[in-house]
Amino acid sequence: MTDTVPPYRRIAEELRRRILAGELTPGDRVPSTRRLAGDFGVAIATATKALAVLRQQGFTRVRPGVGTVVAPRATVAPPRAADGELSRERIVRVATAVADAHGLGELSMRRVAAELGVATMSLYRHVPGKDDLILLMIDAALGEERLPAVRPPGWRAGLIISTTLLWRLFRRHPWLAPAMSLTRPQPAPNGLLLVEWVLETLAPTRLDRRQRLYVHILLFSFARGIATALEPEAEALRETGVGSDEWMGSLAPPSALSTDALPRFAELVESDDFDLDLDLLFRFGLARLLDGLDGWLNRPG
């Protein structure tokens, strides 16, 4: 490579060499923009552009919650399928892959048909429309993991299991939390099994039926609330290549406010020891919610 090659191209070519040489294998995390900027002595924007080139060439992809990782060695276009080979399960599987990779906003019947290599109208013989498809996707995603056949002793352990399972599914599918409604819940069979688990877990307590359901809604809302940040973050990472850690590291008090007006915030920024870890936030918040529920249940009267 000569000096006439732009720096971002040199970085992209070096990473491409490592991938082809097997130094970085499929699924491995690619160095962050901050790491690349330091290693190659370039600006963050230059490193970001280099990662964008690799994504465009199909060598990397963004994995929500992880960052930029090496993509499979070869991306093969899906075979064109005859209408008779279509099934509802296959349509849901492909639609879920589209939403996982590009977000729910990019999902359409036409897009799914293109991925399957069939005419758009072929899908409607299996799925009435996009809303029905999303409901099927929600149910399929919620059914990817099963609750234990043997319930653990104690209501707290049971609620930790069910809420953590839900969080894992939200993590796996960043579109899932925004797709699920709190005020107009979709009748997904696998979702109802989660509700039943919580109600049965709380049955031995002194809570009545209404209060048990409120506990379920509270825990669902908590997990869903944090998880709604996953899809926008994945989209921002796809567009900029800048992860949340790098973004948080670039924050500073507004120029209109001096550090004297924000002493605790300034102390936090200067310490450089805070990372916005959503998994840690989930575990911390869940524990505090259950602590509060424990105190309420053990309150006299």
Side-chain angles (χ1 to χ4, degrees), residues 85-274:
E85 297 175 357
L86 282 179
S87 67
R88 175 177 290 184
E89 291 73 20
R90 187 179 178 202
I91 293 169
V92 170
R93 187 166 60 250
V94 170
T96 299
V98 170
D100 285 347
H102 306 286
L104 202 61
E106 295 296 318
L107 180 70
S108 67
M109 300 295 275
R110 179 178 296 180
R111 177 69 177 269
V112 175
E115 293 289 332
L116 287 165
V118 300
T120 303
M121 292 306 296
S122 301
L123 303 186
Y124 292 98
R125 287 194 280 273
H126 303 273
V127 181
K130 182 178 176 180
D131 289 343
D132 303 273
L133 176 58
I134 292 175
L135 176 57
L136 292 169
M137 291 164 59
I138 291 172
D139 190 51
L142 293 176
E144 288 179 356
E145 294 194 26
R146 295 296 180 185
L147 292 160
V150 178
R151 191 180 301 272
W155 60 265
R156 184 171 184 129
L159 296 184
I160 289 174
I161 286 174
S162 59
T163 312
T164 302
L165 181 148
L166 185 63
W167 172 251
R168 284 200 303 268
L169 296 174
F170 284 156
R171 260 298 200 183
R172 189 177 305 157
H173 304 290
W175 55 269
L176 181 57
M180 297 183 71
S181 175
L182 174 65
T183 56
R184 300 187 180 188
Q186 298 94 332
N190 286 311
L192 294 176
L193 291 177
L194 270 172
V195 178
E196 181 66 22
W197 172 276
V198 173
L199 298 180
E200 182 62 30
T201 296
L202 294 171
T205 70
R206 62 183 178 86
L207 301 182
D208 60 32
R209 290 189 295 270
R210 180 177 58 88
Q211 291 169 332
R212 294 172 209 160
L213 184 58
Y214 272 137
V215 170
H216 163 70
I217 295 172
L218 175 65
L219 295 175
F220 169 79
S221 301
F222 165 70
R224 178 181 178 271
I226 298 178
T228 54
L230 296 172
E231 189 173 41
E233 170 60 22
E235 182 178 354
L237 187 58
R238 283 194 295 269
E239 292 181 353
T240 67
V242 177
S244 60
D245 288 347
E246 293 160 308
W247 173 262
M248 292 294 291
S250 68
L251 290 181
S255 57
L257 294 173
S258 66
T259 55
D260 292 337
L262 301 167
R264 299 304 180 192
F265 182 81
E267 181 183 34
L268 181 64
V269 171
E270 291 169 3
S271 68
D272 194 30
D273 63 355
F274 179 79

